[in-house]
Amino acid sequence: MNHVKALAMKFVMIAAVLLIILTLFFDVPFGDTLWISLVLTLVAYVMGDLMIFRKAGDRSDQNKRNAIATVSDIVVAFLVIWLMGEALVSNDVNIITPALISAIVIGGGEWFFHKYLDRSVFPEKQNHTRSTAH
């Protein structure tokens, strides 16, 4: 259940950023923005959160793990937004600039999202360090 809640939170964060940047500022259609948000949420959660952030090091290295996962999330966000934008959006919108801006803003949100994941979704990291610290 924690993963469902985390996915919902991540989708809302990504969709909000993309709706503001892509749709409001760069006139990307609403439906295209929602598709990009959905795909990016799923790809970034599996790659950035479950594979990279969760598996890298132990809880004492949270800042290092967070930095690595955040940078990877920025790269993944840029690539997904850019590639999907190229496929979905009309040729009169240069998608590279909004993809870069969106990826950086999403990366800022991801830094805090990873802290939430450590506290609420990946408790084994917390329990592991408590049991070894005693």
Side-chain angles (χ1 to χ4, degrees):
M1 189 60 165
N2 287 339
H3 289 286
V4 173
K5 185 178 175 182
L7 272 167
M9 289 173 60
K10 187 176 191 88
F11 175 76
V12 168
M13 176 189 68
I14 289 171
V17 169
L18 294 184
L19 285 169
I20 291 168
I21 295 171
L22 297 182
T23 301
L24 290 180
F25 291 126
F26 290 93
D27 296 324
V28 172
F30 181 81
D32 293 346
T33 299
L34 287 182
W35 272 116
I36 294 169
S37 299
L38 179 62
V39 170
L40 178 55
T41 298
L42 296 174
V43 170
Y45 192 74
V46 170
M47 288 180 62
D49 301 329
L50 295 179
M51 295 173 85
I52 295 172
F53 181 69
R54 184 178 190 187
K55 303 291 182 185
D58 61 21
R59 187 160 167 83
S60 64
D61 295 334
Q62 202 275 344
N63 284 335
K64 179 180 174 185
R65 290 172 36 243
N66 199 352
I68 293 167
T70 299
V71 169
S72 72
D73 281 329
I74 291 169
V75 171
V76 167
F78 173 75
L79 291 173
V80 169
I81 297 164
W82 174 45
L83 295 173
M84 286 192 72
E86 287 288 330
L88 296 173
V89 180
S90 65
N91 290 339
D92 61 333
V93 175
N94 179 4
I95 200 70
I96 292 177
T97 301
L100 183 59
I101 295 167
S102 299
I104 292 168
V105 174
I106 288 169
E110 288 290 344
W111 179 266
F112 296 101
F113 183 70
H114 295 148
K115 291 178 181 282
Y116 163 77
L117 289 178
D118 247 359
R119 284 191 316 272
S120 302
V121 180
F122 303 144
E124 71 274 8
K125 292 284 187 187
Q126 211 170 30
N127 294 337
H128 173 71
T129 56
R130 284 186 184 153
S131 63
T132 59
H134 288 79

